[in-house]
């Protein structure tokens, strides 16, 4: 059973620099920062409504995340789903024939975690986690709303996520896109050719509870963005490789 998107993982060159944007400009509160040796990273979780953003700075160039950074640059790396029992979830995934990286849970920044192979989810690297019981995340003015995924055939990728994780589809008005509910947020799966040919995670959308203040912060920090009346799209050059859409309304 999947309860929510626990976090979206973002690879960055330096945590300190990424903090300037994600904490300083967007105002996301820090939940936890630690070195995760077996993943070769220094990582931080920042609260974003019901979900979190995980920033990952590689400790060495020859680690998996270091190689990702060298090959692809900064940007979206994985998505993590919250499950009440990571061990039994993993067993279920294995029984369904999903290709796994971790055959048993191990400690990570989000609690007990395990990774599936990206081949299991049409190129999306998925982590599952059971968080340790601690106080709920600090409140934030930004809430994660959607993770956008590019796919060759959105209906097929959607069916795969539905089958592996028991996610419910959200009806769309026809067209080639598909949407799946994950707690209070959703996965939006779009044809890869709508998003420059990208297969896998392409963008995150948020809702802001104080849009005017956010716009002021973006201006103050000279963030490159396309500004509309109810929505702003941040240039990935300013957001460490992540396409960010932030809207004023749900
Ligand atoms: Co993670």
């Amino acid at each position: 059973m999947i309860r929510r998107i626990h976090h979206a993982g973002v690879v960055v060159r330096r945590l300190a620099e990424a903090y300037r944007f994600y904490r300083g400009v967007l105002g996301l509160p820090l939940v936890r920062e630690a070195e995760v040796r077996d993943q070769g990273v220094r990582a931080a979780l920042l609260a974003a409504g019901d979900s979190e953003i995980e920033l990952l700075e590689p400790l060495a160039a020859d680690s998996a995340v270091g190689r990702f950074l060298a090959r692809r640059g900064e940007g979206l790396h994985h998505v993590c789903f919250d499950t009440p029992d990571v061990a039994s979830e993993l067993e279920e995934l294995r029984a369904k024939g999903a290709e796994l990286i971790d055959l048993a849970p191990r400690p990570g920044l989000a609690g007990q975690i395990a990774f599936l192979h990206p081949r299991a989810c049409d190129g999306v690297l998925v982590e599952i986690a059971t968080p340790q019981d601690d106080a709920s995340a600090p409140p934030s003015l930004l809430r994660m709303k959607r993770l956008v995924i590019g796919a060759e055939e959105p209906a097929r990728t959607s069916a795969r996520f539905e089958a592996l994780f028991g996610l419910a589809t959200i009806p769309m008005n026809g067209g080639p896109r598909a949407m799946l509910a994950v707690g209070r947020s959703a996965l939006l799966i779009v044809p890869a050719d709508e998003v420059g040919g990208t297969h896998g995670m392409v963008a995150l959308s948020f809702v802001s509870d104080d849009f005017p203040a956010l716009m002021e912060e973006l201006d103050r920090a000279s963030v490159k963005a396309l500004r509309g009346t109810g929505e702003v799209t941040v240039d990935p050059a300013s957001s460490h490789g992540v396409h960010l859409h932030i809207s004023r309304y749900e």
Side-chain angles (χ1 to χ4, degrees):
M1 189 185 102
I2 299 301
R3 295 186 287 204
R4 61 180 172 131
I5 294 180
H6 186 281
H7 62 262
V10 175
V11 170
V12 300
R13 220 167 290 284
R14 307 270 312 144
L15 270 187
E17 286 164 22
Y19 277 173
R20 263 183 253 145
F21 177 73
Y22 285 95
R23 293 175 68 187
V25 179
L26 297 187
L28 304 182
L30 178 67
V31 177
R32 191 177 307 129
E33 181 192 315
E35 209 163 277
V36 186
R37 285 235 155 249
D38 69 337
Q39 288 173 42
V41 293
R42 179 145 198 99
L45 286 168
L46 311 179
D50 206 31
S51 300
E52 292 169 20
I53 297 285
E54 183 181 56
L55 301 174
L56 305 156
E57 174 190 323
L59 294 171
D62 63 353
S63 62
V65 169
R67 285 192 297 271
F68 177 96
L69 182 63
R71 202 173 57 240
R72 315 255 298 261
E74 295 182 306
L76 284 167
H77 178 260
H78 67 270
V79 59
C80 178
F81 297 136
D82 178 329
T83 174
D85 184 349
V86 65
S88 70
E89 188 73 34
L90 203 54
E91 210 36 64
E92 224 176 279
L93 287 165
R94 197 216 301 255
K96 288 174 182 167
E99 206 172 329
L100 306 174
I101 290 177
D102 293 306
L103 299 175
R106 55 182 162 128
L109 196 61
Q112 284 295 312
I113 63 110
F115 279 94
L116 281 74
H117 195 283
R119 276 193 293 264
C121 303
D122 288 350
V124 179
L125 177 58
V126 175
E127 175 184 15
I128 52 175
T130 300
Q132 57 259 63
D133 276 326
D134 53 6
S136 51
S140 59
L141 288 174
L142 277 192
R143 289 174 285 132
M144 195 192 295
K145 191 71 192 152
R146 264 178 221 147
L147 170 67
V148 185
I149 292 168
E152 204 56 54
E153 289 176 53
R156 193 192 59 198
T157 299
S158 169
R160 178 157 298 182
F161 274 89
E162 196 183 343
L164 288 180
F165 304 108
L167 304 177
T169 53
I170 298 171
M172 306 279 284
N173 300 324
R177 298 176 160 207
M179 186 130 80
L180 293 162
V182 197
R184 276 182 237 169
S185 27
L187 305 180
L188 175 64
I189 306 169
V190 305
D193 55 20
E194 274 185 28
V195 287
T198 304
H199 294 79
M201 296 180 291
V202 286
L204 283 176
S205 31
F206 291 88
V207 174
S208 168
D209 286 335
D210 191 345
F211 197 74
L214 172 72
M215 296 298 264
E216 260 177 50
E217 278 304 323
L218 294 178
D219 285 340
R220 206 195 320 265
S222 307
V223 167
K224 286 185 204 147
L226 270 175
R227 292 160 172 80
T229 46
E231 195 187 47
V232 62
T233 302
V234 178
D235 189 316
S238 291
S239 48
H240 298 265
V242 183
H243 291 264
L244 281 182
H245 306 285
I246 306 171
S247 25
R248 175 174 225 153
Y249 309 105
E250 289 287 330

